[in-house]
Amino acid sequence: MGAGGVFFFYWVHLKTWVLRTLQKKESVCMRTKKLRLVSALLALAMLFVMMPVGAFAEDKTTEGVTTITPEAVEKAGNGGYFIRESGVYDLEGGTYKGGFIFISEEATNVTINLQGNITVLKTASDGNGKPGAFILVRNRSLTTINGNEYTVEAGGNGHPVEAGEDFNLIVSDWGGTITLNGGTYKAPAYTRPVLGQERGGTLSLHGTTVAATGTKDSGRCIRNDESTLEICEGTVLNNGPAGDHDAVTRGTGRMNGGTICSKNSAAIRAD
């Protein structure tokens, strides 16, 4: 029985009780007036209970799916847009001008669906005052990002990211696990690789394209510090027009299909 049905059940019994009480103690005139007042109040309360939850919610949540907008991430700023609960999240397309998305250890299983092409112009600063990652997964959280054939790019659209101001698009840290299904991820990769992993993270790529776009002293697609990388069928890693850095560095890697393009350096270097 839903909330409306339960409320209706109690409403009928309460109305009957009120009627019997008034019949014993009040005159016919007063009884009629009070009964009308009680009925009106109960009807109003019943209408309130049966209204959809979304009529009062401030965030954009529909049928269990929360939508993350560029405005919400930018408003969070250096504090980060926190995902603390497991569930499904739609990441809106558009231009992200600041802030970052942090998937915390409380959110043990998160799915993010891209809903359009994304341009990231700026992220929040890390502890050293340098630009941090756009999406950070930490402390054994399991995150799946479905690219849906969309592109996430740092800069672009006439807004280049300069050397020294570049940032990672996605980082897993302290055991965080990320699975990328489809999608294209592009960044200059001057000092920061497009994707990064540290301290026991795991990154699994399925039909995903990762590309460095920098034209000079650039090229690292993935840095895999003390972590595990799995490259699966349909994945393409391209260290870009400069190709001055190794496409993949460090850690443990498994390659089950896929292509790695490296212009002037190694495709994979395990340091």
Side-chain angles (χ1 to χ4, degrees), residues 24 26 53 67 80 91 98 112 144 160 195 201 234 250 263 266:
K24 294 179 181 178
E26 303 291 342
V53 175
T67 298
L91 186 58
I112 296 177
T144 299
L195 309 177
R250 304 184 178 181
K263 185 177 180 181

Side-chain angles (χ1 to χ4, degrees), residues 44-212:
L44 181 62
M46 186 174 180
L47 178 63
F48 180 84
V49 168
M50 295 182 69
M51 288 181 69
V53 175
F56 307 100
E58 294 184 0
D59 58 359
K60 300 176 67 175
T61 302
T62 305
E63 296 182 357
V65 179
T66 300
T67 298
I68 303 173
T69 66
E71 294 76 16
V73 176
E74 183 177 0
K75 182 178 179 180
N78 279 357
Y81 181 100
F82 270 71
I83 295 178
R84 293 187 172 93
E85 295 183 358
S86 298
V88 180
Y89 297 80
D90 284 349
L91 186 58
E92 276 193 358
T95 301
Y96 288 73
K97 300 178 181 180
F100 70 103
I101 298 169
F102 185 93
I103 303 174
S104 67
E105 60 184 346
E106 294 92 345
T108 56
N109 197 329
V110 171
T111 297
I112 296 177
N113 298 312
L114 302 189
Q115 297 299 310
N117 294 323
I118 291 174
T119 299
V120 185
L121 301 184
K122 182 181 179 182
T123 64
S125 298
D126 63 14
N128 298 318
K130 300 293 184 180
F134 176 55
I135 298 176
L136 177 61
V137 180
R138 179 167 287 178
N139 292 343
R140 305 195 181 284
S141 295
L142 176 62
T143 299
T144 299
I145 301 178
N146 297 316
N148 299 325
E149 300 183 357
Y150 293 118
T151 296
V152 180
E153 182 172 7
N157 294 334
H159 300 280
V161 176
E162 303 297 333
E165 296 298 325
D166 58 320
F167 48 85
N168 312 110
L169 289 178
I170 302 173
V171 167
S172 63
D173 193 4
W174 291 109
T177 297
I178 301 175
T179 299
L180 300 184
N181 294 320
T184 298
Y185 300 86
K186 301 163 65 177
Y190 294 120
T191 57
R192 304 282 182 109
V194 183
L195 309 177
Q197 298 192 95
E198 297 179 355
R199 294 176 285 257
T202 300
L203 177 62
S204 183
L205 307 178
H206 301 260
T208 303
T209 297
V210 182

Side-chain angles (χ1 to χ4, degrees), residues 16-28:
T16 302
W17 176 82
V18 170
L19 179 60
R20 289 175 178 174
T21 302
L22 291 175
Q23 285 175 337
K24 294 179 181 178
K25 296 183 178 181
E26 303 291 342
S27 66
V28 173

Side-chain angles (χ1 to χ4, degrees), residues 231-252:
I231 301 172
C232 298
E233 190 67 35
T235 295
V236 177
L237 308 182
N238 190 330
N239 72 347
D244 297 323
H245 295 168
D246 307 324
V248 179
T249 58
R250 304 184 178 181
T252 300

